[in-house]
Amino acid sequence: LSREDFQRIPELAINPLGDRIINAFFQEGEDQVNFRGFMRILAHFRPIEDNEKSKDQNGPEPLNSRSNKLHFAFRLYDLDKDDKISRDELLQVLRMMVGVNISDEQLGSIADRTIQEADQDGDNAISFAEFVKVMEKVDVEQKMSIRFLH
Amino acid sequence: GIIVRDETPMEKEIARLHRVDFEFSDIFYFCRKGFEAIVEDEVTQRFSSEELVSWNLLTRTNVNFHYISLRLTIVWVIGVIVRYCFLLPLRFTLAAIGIVSMIVGTTMVGQLPNGSMKNYLSEVVHLTCSRILVRALSGTIHYHNKENKPQKGGICVANHTSPIDAIILTNDGCYAMVGQVHGGLMGVIQRATVKACPHVWFERSEMKDRHLVTKRLREHVADKSKLPILIFPEGTCINNTSVMMFKKGSFEIGGTIYPVAIKYDPRFGDAFWNSSKYNIVSYLLRIMTSWAIVCNVWYLPPMVRKESEDAVQFANRVKSAIARQGGLTELPWDGGLKRAKVKDTFKEEQQKNYSKMLVRNGSIG
């Protein structure tokens, strides 16, 4: 699959975060994703099942665990993959979501306020741990899962 | 559908519990919507043939090939022989007879001076040839609510699945066709028929000029003695599971609109023309080697544009009526998405809604 194939889905093309989502499928510098890569990304959206928790304690964590779902969301913000969401990266995502409807100053103050609330070690950027802390109360499982009908 | 879709609107989902005006978790909403669209979206599935619940012994509808049993294969082979060696030659001959008689018949009628005799004979010729052509495709058509049949001076609109739609409708009454002038055999037919009956054929260059088109159609409709115009407002072939956006041009002309719903039975043959996959000749070949074309045609009561409506709202109202009658899903998307990219205005709308929420809650600045 190439990027154009994804963009032909109208509902995805009009999604403000559409481009970021499409990018998540493609590895560094690659223009094509095969079925396996496609599946790996979609696997993040499998609902978390209770009986899985007891099984695989020794093996690697399954892709749809809460932590991995959060990591996926974190990566949508963190473009340069330095494991921190900087003010600029946050501004970029905000700009994608609001389009031209909010001015730069307003957007800037929203971003500043959000970082202030979440930042604990004072580096003016959000690390993954701080991100997780912010999401403590959020029902990640329900918001980031797609259930198939039987 | 294949996935559980959560239809809560954006506002409720990103409900604010406290005064913070933006949360990191806001992206979850867009993210999930995006992935749901990737797994199953409403639009791209309309541009390929409908999937059947159980196989109808045509290879083309056998999407997941599975060797089941020897008996089934034998039945299928017999089916192939019957369809290709027996039905196909018969149908082809009939079609040839139909086309030739239409060209000859309409040319002959075209020689007569204008008058009621000419109109009567033209009707006879058109109807007869139409019937021959429908038989050539083994068409079985059920017409419902014939009392609502389109009258002279009106405009007939229908959902579009294939070029055969026109023949299916002319089988039961005479219409003035609207369309582009083609070359080849189609062009010959067009030139012949227009002598007998005032069809509206446009040159390709004229089609680009919307005002010219509207003007000509308006003149035609204003003349109450002229046959009703047949228009397919979707603009392209859709696979008969849904009705897509109706282009407003046809609804700006004025006059009475007679909606017609056409629904094919997919078990006997797939009538959908996927013009990006098959050309017209291979399409006709596929049609002639199917079991049959079975369809239902519903004539809906006439509709007129209300004072308070504009063309777009009127178009949507007609579209809902047709979709409801034919048991089709109604989609707001444009059939032109088959070939073109979606407009950015939709994305901008979503962005606007989200910004409204951000600004409303919490004070900014």
Side-chain angles (χ1 to χ4, degrees):
Chain A
L1 288 174
S2 69
R3 284 190 172 77
E4 285 79 41
D5 293 321
F6 282 102
Q7 271 157 359
R8 268 199 272 134
I9 303 175
E11 285 170 35
L12 186 61
I14 66 168
N15 191 318
L17 293 179
D19 286 326
R20 281 287 168 103
I21 295 174
I22 296 176
N23 268 327
F25 282 91
F26 295 88
Q27 307 278 14
E28 285 292 332
E30 299 258 325
D31 279 333
Q32 307 261 337
V33 60
N34 60 12
F35 185 62
R36 181 163 247 175
F38 182 71
M39 257 191 2
R40 281 187 64 98
I41 301 294
L42 276 186
H44 285 295
F45 283 82
R46 256 179 63 213
I48 301 176
E49 277 143 52
D50 283 317
N51 53 6
E52 279 194 41
K53 281 204 209 132
S54 45
K55 255 196 277 179
D56 215 351
Q57 290 297 351
N58 301 328
E61 234 179 306
L63 280 169
N64 65 334
S65 70
R66 184 192 161 92
S67 156
N68 272 324
K69 284 187 203 261
L70 285 171
H71 213 112
F72 182 75
F74 187 77
R75 280 199 302 260
L76 281 179
Y77 282 101
D78 184 17
L79 255 193
D80 56 7
K81 296 197 194 347
D82 61 356
D83 271 338
K84 281 188 186 312
I85 303 178
S86 69
R87 184 177 181 270
D88 276 333
E89 286 170 343
L90 182 57
L91 264 181
Q92 270 184 31
V93 176
L94 274 172
R95 180 52 73 193
M96 281 178 88
M97 291 210 278
V98 307
V100 300
N101 297 297
I102 297 187
S103 68
D104 281 331
E105 304 90 60
Q106 279 182 335
L107 217 57
S109 61
I110 295 180
D112 285 327
R113 192 175 318 193
T114 320
I115 295 188
Q116 244 175 14
E117 297 243 348
D119 192 12
Q120 280 162 353
D121 56 10
D123 59 355
N124 231 14
I126 313 289
S127 69
F128 185 55
E130 289 160 356
F131 188 72
V132 171
K133 185 102 202 325
V134 176
M135 299 297 196
E136 249 175 359
K137 301 203 187 67
V138 175
D139 187 1
V140 177
E141 205 275 320
Q142 188 254 331
K143 286 188 188 239
M144 291 272 277
S145 296
I146 298 181
R147 282 173 179 70
F148 281 91
L149 291 168
H150 296 291
Chain B
I2 55 174
I3 49 179
V4 175
R5 296 199 100 143
D6 189 0
E7 296 293 346
T8 46
M10 198 198 300
E11 286 76 25
K12 278 218 191 93
E13 178 114 1
I14 315 187
R16 294 288 188 258
L17 299 169
H18 42 96
R19 264 196 72 236
V20 178
D21 33 5
F22 167 74
E23 290 203 11
F24 282 104
S25 52
D26 282 353
I27 65 160
F28 285 160
Y29 172 78
F30 289 114
C31 195
R32 201 186 71 227
K33 282 275 174 237
F35 273 92
E36 279 176 355
I38 292 180
V39 173
E40 181 196 27
D41 79 302
E42 285 286 318
V43 181
T44 53
Q45 54 173 292
R46 310 293 172 191
F47 299 134
S48 58
S49 303
E50 196 183 346
E51 275 193 44
L52 291 174
V53 179
S54 64
W55 193 34
N56 64 347
L57 291 181
L58 295 174
T59 334
R60 59 194 70 143
T61 46
N62 196 1
V63 181
N64 306 309
F65 178 62
H66 237 41
Y67 177 77
I68 302 187
S69 74
L70 184 60
R71 211 165 29 159
L72 190 61
T73 318
I74 294 184
V75 172
W76 174 69
V77 169
I78 297 180
V80 169
I81 298 179
V82 165
R83 284 186 290 122
Y84 279 84
C85 306
F86 182 58
L87 292 177
L88 179 60
L90 278 179
R91 288 179 181 161
F92 190 71
T93 327
L94 270 179
I97 295 178
I99 295 180
V100 168
S101 42
M102 175 171 274
I103 297 178
V104 170
T106 47
T107 316
M108 288 199 322
V109 172
Q111 307 298 335
L112 299 174
N114 282 346
S116 56
M117 188 56 166
K118 178 177 183 184
N119 292 340
Y120 175 65
L121 280 178
S122 154
E123 260 191 56
V124 167
V125 169
H126 273 101
L127 276 177
T128 321
C129 298
S130 222
R131 284 183 185 144
I132 299 180
L133 287 173
V134 169
R135 288 287 164 272
L137 303 168
S138 299
T140 311
I141 314 176
H142 296 289
Y143 294 98
H144 304 265
N145 307 335
K146 277 205 187 184
E147 67 273 8
N148 291 325
K149 227 159 82 163
Q151 304 293 330
K152 292 202 163 88
I155 304 177
C156 179
V157 301
N159 56 324
H160 200 31
T161 308
S162 94
I164 299 183
D165 288 343
I167 305 181
I168 304 250
L169 288 177
T170 53
N171 193 27
D172 195 41
C174 275
Y175 298 91
M177 308 279 191
V178 177
Q180 263 182 16
V181 169
H182 288 100
L185 179 62
M186 194 65 210
V188 176
I189 299 179
Q190 285 180 325
R191 277 195 293 278
T193 52
V194 82
K195 293 203 189 85
C197 169
H199 297 298
V200 186
W201 301 123
F202 290 100
E203 300 291 335
R204 193 162 287 248
S205 50
E206 286 178 331
M207 287 291 292
K208 300 249 164 77
D209 187 353
R210 267 191 57 213
H211 294 291
L212 193 66
V213 171
T214 318
K215 185 157 121 15
R216 255 181 92 176
L217 291 177
R218 215 175 250 155
E219 285 168 3
H220 186 111
V221 168
D223 185 352
K224 289 292 178 221
S225 68
K226 292 225 171 116
L227 297 169
I229 309 181
L230 182 59
I231 295 187
F232 297 105
E234 279 165 317
T236 184
C237 295
I238 313 291
N239 77 345
N240 209 229
T241 55
S242 66
V243 181
M244 290 201 155
M245 185 179 96
F246 275 7
K247 301 211 189 311
K248 65 180 167 127
S250 342
F251 298 90
E252 289 174 329
I253 305 174
T256 329
I257 303 278
Y258 295 91
V260 177
I262 307 178
K263 177 88 176 105
Y264 293 88
D265 190 339
R267 289 171 301 177
F268 291 97
D270 176 29
F272 169 57
W273 183 28
N274 192 343
S275 50
S276 34
K277 225 174 163 193
Y278 304 108
N279 62 5
I280 185 80
V281 177
S282 68
Y283 168 71
L284 286 174
L285 202 64
R286 278 159 57 94
I287 291 288
M288 289 195 184
T289 54
S290 311
W291 295 116
I293 303 287
V294 178
C295 65
N296 287 302
V297 177
W298 286 275
Y299 292 109
L300 296 165
M303 292 179 159
V304 194
R305 182 153 72 109
K306 294 200 195 113
E307 291 292 319
S308 48
E309 279 181 329
D310 66 351
V312 176
Q313 289 166 330
F314 182 41
N316 282 333
R317 191 159 64 96
V318 175
K319 186 175 78 155
S320 306
I322 293 186
R324 228 181 348 218
Q325 179 66 72
L328 305 164
T329 341
E330 203 190 321
L331 291 179
W333 299 97
D334 185 354
L337 288 174
K338 198 201 249 178
R339 296 195 186 87
K341 280 225 180 108
V342 70
K343 285 207 274 235
D344 279 329
T345 42
F346 292 106
K347 191 196 258 191
E348 284 155 22
E349 221 182 285
Q350 287 211 27
Q351 288 172 329
K352 208 158 65 163
N353 285 340
Y354 182 65
S355 332
K356 274 206 267 240
M357 283 174 45
L358 275 193
V359 178
R360 194 173 45 197
N361 289 310
S363 50
I364 305 185

